[in-house]
Amino acid sequence: MSGRRSTAALLLFTLLLVRSRLLSLPEILLERLKSVTAKPQISQEELLQVLQQIYVNRPDGSRTILVPHEDGISKVPIRPTSSAFLSSTAAHFPPLPTSHKPNLDRTFLRQLRAVLRIALPGWRTPEAALLSAHSFFLVFRTVLSIAVARLDGRIVRDLVNADGKGFLKGLGLWFALAVPSTYTNTMIHYLQATLALRLRSRLARYTHDLYLSSAPDMRYYRIALEGGLEDVDQYITSDIAAFCESLAGIYGNILKPSLDILLFTSQLSRTLGLRGTVLLALNYYATARILRAATPAFGRLAAVEAQLEGEYRAGMGRVDRESEEIAFYGGGLRERSILWRAYLRLIRHVNSIYKIRIAYEWTEDFVIKYLWSAAGYCLISVPVFLTRRRDIGIQADGPGHTDIINNRIANRTETYISSRRLLLSLADAGGRVMYAYKDLLELAGLTTRLYTLLSTLHNLPSPPTSSSDIPEDRIELVHVDVGVPHGPNVEGAPAWILVKDLSLVLREGEHLMITGSNGVGKTAVARVLAGLWAPQGEGEVRRPSARRSVFVVPQRSYMVTGTLLDQIIYPDAYPDFVASGKTEADLVEILTAANLAYLPAREGGWSTRKEWRDVLSGGEKQRASHPTGNIMGLARVFYHRPNFAVLDECTSAVSSDVEGRMYEHAKSLGITLITISLRPSLMRYHTHLLTLAGDGTGRWTLSQIGTAAERMGIDREIITLEDKLAEVERWEARVNELNQLLSAQEQ
């Protein structure tokens, strides 16, 4: 006995010693499991490198996007849309007539099919797999609903019969059905949301590849000017997302209720008989007619709402983009009134939609909830009052008759409960089908918006092209009329011609300066040279076909989102910089030539990420003392070293000596300069001068700088000025005489 006690005491003492270890054992195992399954964390330097690199090019032309996520790096493969697929889908997007209004008609079906060719290009895609899985769970949910309705009637039957064993068995089956039912409902919502995201990703990628097309298409530049489509950001961001959510939702809101109506009607026809089935069909028809007559044009209303949302959003973006200029003018109150007007237009339209929905939703609720419920009671009564014997009130003569009557009551109760549940589910399905009609109208409006975007992008006029047989060392303009391109709403109207019959040949090393008064078309000539605008009339532009052989530096330099290094190498990305073989030392030399060598030290290094538009373009107080935004454009010219560089007033904010060093450095790199400026001091760096008259006639003159004719013209101008200076004394004497006359009159 004493031995057993000592053993028990030893075990108790051992347990007390290892108690803390046993209690902490699950936590230790969990931490070890996390350490095994967790992704390795990246350092701050690796994170900066990933943010700089952005993507990795693949041999097959695709890219792997590097996305920092949860202390790790997610690699997302991106395959650009092929030009063959873009060309094959273009035929399905003919232009829409301006009088088109969204509605449920053949035009809507044609538009939807055209968009679905992009969103769902085949049955072997992940989207098709999601759609199949979604369809399976929708059908399975309907089957479960029928099983639940039958089980509901069975439980009530057993309860009426006082069958305890059957009642408990029914409860067990009820909980057994609850597991797949709840899981099915969850999967339906998950698959619908995932399908909407997949459709949005495919449509967004297609739209991005089409919209952000490279030269010569440049649809992102031409869609507003030549396509006449404003607020494209609203179309690409909000409208695509709304369309995909509506499309994924409408599929479930039509398929499942339609299956419910079909299968529930099939089940009810066994109970209701022929008369009840005919009455049920008449109920469907009457409900559809009533709701169709009461349904407003929700598609048109949704399209107008999206348009007004786009206008309001564009106004907010304009204020954010031009905040400094607005502040200089003190235009806050004016911009507020403009934005408030756009907002009120949107709110009034939304309020009008709400008012329109009052009558519709009142009719809809009355028909779906109450009319269908009353119709359900009437249909259930058909087997009781018309097609079956009413023998519930028969007196029982003995125990056997009592059991028979009780069984009949229980069976009739089972039939009533099952039919009642099916009818309630049927009413719910019918309501969702009727609701789906409104959703279809809204989908029609969103489809028209998305179709308009894609149709406009596909049907832009052919971009200007240049002859392929021209040498890479020259630019030629042959009888070119320079004018503003036509928009879609001014077809057939005469073009606004700024420069007429312009002809010139510019070879490498022949630097051209374009001058003239403001508004005469100097920048328009640059746009034609760069291929942004098509030449008007029968003229022809011939320029090198090599990539970036003509590089344009506009008056306002664009600052890309990214690091300081990205500002210099734009439009290249970091992988292009690495592939070029250049180093950071080369970038330092470029910044030194652009008088910006202080930037890396001042801003914190090459990998610094800031809002460069404010830092480099004078968003704070740096515009006057550090006009680095415009000079950054010249740094990009030094980096890319194009054959021809068009400089549009990009050095107007720097001193003449700094400007001269930059021009000489560009010429030393073998870059042929085409400068747009009014500063006579720049003439010394050019060999030719194109002067635009600016008198409305479109006249121009092209002369060579430094020739005898130019010197004679300068001598004549000097003589004219000397003659005018000689008359200054006579003018001053006349002014004194007039002042004396005025003084005498006052006295």
Side-chain angles (χ1 to χ4, degrees), residues 351-547:
N351 283 331
S352 67
I353 295 177
Y354 291 157
K355 292 177 182 178
I356 291 172
R357 284 181 174 175
I358 291 176
Y360 172 75
E361 292 181 356
W362 179 85
T363 305
E364 191 177 46
D365 288 345
F366 178 79
V367 171
I368 298 303
K369 292 183 179 179
Y370 298 99
L371 185 60
W372 272 62
S373 296
Y377 283 117
C378 295
L379 291 173
I380 293 174
S381 68
V382 169
V384 177
F385 296 115
L386 298 178
T387 61
R388 294 188 179 180
R389 293 175 55 193
R390 291 173 290 175
D391 50 2
I392 298 179
I394 298 176
Q395 296 296 325
D397 295 333
H401 289 79
T402 302
D403 293 339
I404 293 174
I405 293 175
N406 290 337
N407 289 334
R408 287 179 178 176
I409 294 174
N411 292 333
R412 187 169 295 174
T413 303
E414 177 187 3
T415 302
Y416 169 79
I417 294 299
S418 299
S419 300
R420 173 65 177 164
R421 181 145 191 144
L422 287 174
L423 279 170
L424 290 176
S425 300
L426 189 61
D428 179 68
R432 281 182 286 142
V433 169
M434 300 307 166
Y435 293 145
Y437 181 72
K438 177 189 66 176
D439 296 337
L440 277 173
L441 288 175
E442 294 180 354
L443 177 64
L446 294 171
T447 303
T448 298
R449 291 270 300 178
L450 183 54
Y451 182 92
T452 300
L453 170 66
L454 297 176
S455 176
T456 305
L457 289 172
H458 276 299
N459 292 282
L460 287 173
S462 299
T465 56
S466 59
S467 301
S468 58
D469 57 348
I470 186 173
E472 296 293 322
D473 62 345
R474 70 179 62 184
I475 293 178
E476 295 183 10
L477 275 70
V478 182
H479 301 294
V480 170
D481 289 343
V482 178
V484 181
H486 280 301
N489 299 324
V490 292
E491 288 295 335
W496 180 19
I497 301 300
L498 301 172
V499 183
K500 294 182 178 179
D501 198 26
L502 178 60
S503 297
L504 62 87
V505 178
L506 188 66
R507 299 175 178 85
E508 286 189 359
E510 297 178 347
H511 308 284
L512 175 67
M513 180 174 175
I514 304 175
T515 188
S517 58
N518 292 329
V520 299
K522 301 187 297 296
T523 303
V525 174
R527 290 167 179 157
V528 172
L529 289 173
L532 269 65
W533 284 9
Q536 304 294 324
E538 301 297 329
E540 184 181 6
V541 179
R542 302 170 183 172
R543 58 183 172 273
S545 58
R547 181 172 178 259

Side-chain angles (χ1 to χ4, degrees), residues 455-681:
S455 176
T456 305
L457 289 172
H458 276 299
N459 292 282
L460 287 173
S462 299
T465 56
S466 59
S467 301
S468 58
D469 57 348
I470 186 173
E472 296 293 322
D473 62 345
R474 70 179 62 184
I475 293 178
E476 295 183 10
L477 275 70
V478 182
H479 301 294
V480 170
D481 289 343
V482 178
V484 181
H486 280 301
N489 299 324
V490 292
E491 288 295 335
W496 180 19
I497 301 300
L498 301 172
V499 183
K500 294 182 178 179
D501 198 26
L502 178 60
S503 297
L504 62 87
V505 178
L506 188 66
R507 299 175 178 85
E508 286 189 359
E510 297 178 347
H511 308 284
L512 175 67
M513 180 174 175
I514 304 175
T515 188
S517 58
N518 292 329
V520 299
K522 301 187 297 296
T523 303
V525 174
R527 290 167 179 157
V528 172
L529 289 173
L532 269 65
W533 284 9
Q536 304 294 324
E538 301 297 329
E540 184 181 6
V541 179
R542 302 170 183 172
R543 58 183 172 273
S545 58
R547 181 172 178 259
R548 294 183 199 148
S549 57
V550 180
F551 198 94
V552 181
V553 180
Q555 296 182 23
R556 293 182 58 183
S557 291
Y558 168 70
M559 297 301 156
V560 65
T561 300
T563 63
L564 177 61
L565 185 146
D566 292 325
Q567 309 311 310
I568 302 172
I569 67 176
Y570 186 80
D572 283 354
Y574 186 77
D576 303 314
F577 169 71
V578 174
S580 67
K582 293 184 174 66
T583 62
E584 292 182 358
D586 298 324
L587 299 182
V588 172
E589 293 181 3
I590 290 172
L591 290 183
T592 302
N595 204 34
L596 299 174
Y598 57 87
L599 273 182
R602 190 190 77 177
E603 303 301 336
W606 297 106
S607 59
T608 303
R609 306 177 72 88
K610 293 183 178 181
E611 187 60 47
W612 298 107
R613 181 185 63 180
D614 297 334
V615 174
L616 301 182
S617 295
E620 301 167 346
K621 296 181 180 179
Q622 301 178 352
R623 182 179 294 273
S625 58
H626 298 284
T628 52
N630 291 334
I631 306 304
M632 186 61 71
L634 271 177
R636 293 169 182 169
V637 172
F638 300 157
Y639 175 82
H640 291 287
R641 298 190 179 186
N643 296 340
F644 298 87
V646 182
L647 311 179
D648 189 358
E649 299 280 2
C650 65
T651 59
S652 58
V654 298
S655 60
S656 298
D657 56 337
V658 175
E659 183 180 52
R661 290 197 300 269
M662 293 179 184
Y663 270 80
E664 292 295 347
H665 182 71
K667 293 169 69 175
S668 68
L669 296 177
I671 302 173
T672 301
L673 302 176
I674 304 174
T675 301
I676 300 173
S677 179
L678 296 175
R679 301 177 69 172
S681 60

Side-chain angles (χ1 to χ4, degrees), residues 244-367:
C244 294
E245 291 177 2
S246 178
L247 181 62
I250 202 71
Y251 176 74
N253 291 339
I254 288 180
L255 178 61
K256 186 180 185 305
S258 300
L259 286 173
D260 288 350
I261 291 175
L262 180 63
L263 296 180
F264 292 164
T265 303
S266 175
Q267 292 294 320
L268 284 171
S269 62
R270 302 176 183 178
T271 304
L272 301 178
L274 180 60
R275 295 179 183 178
T277 305
V278 172
L279 292 175
L280 189 61
L282 291 175
N283 185 40
Y284 294 159
Y285 177 76
T287 303
R289 292 293 299 232
I290 293 173
L291 292 182
R292 178 163 187 152
T295 302
F298 284 112
R300 193 178 309 170
L301 295 173
V304 174
E305 182 181 356
Q307 178 184 351
L308 294 177
E309 284 277 7
E311 293 177 0
Y312 177 63
R313 179 173 180 172
M316 293 297 297
R318 183 185 65 252
V319 173
D320 177 67
R321 185 173 57 253
E322 310 292 344
S323 59
E324 185 175 54
E325 286 77 6
I326 295 172
F328 281 149
Y329 287 108
L333 294 178
R334 173 63 175 157
E335 294 298 326
R336 185 180 67 180
S337 64
I338 294 174
L339 286 176
W340 188 245
R341 183 169 177 265
Y343 178 75
L344 285 179
R345 289 180 61 195
L346 171 63
I347 293 304
R348 286 170 182 168
H349 178 73
V350 173
N351 283 331
S352 67
I353 295 177
Y354 291 157
K355 292 177 182 178
I356 291 172
R357 284 181 174 175
I358 291 176
Y360 172 75
E361 292 181 356
W362 179 85
T363 305
E364 191 177 46
D365 288 345
F366 178 79
V367 171

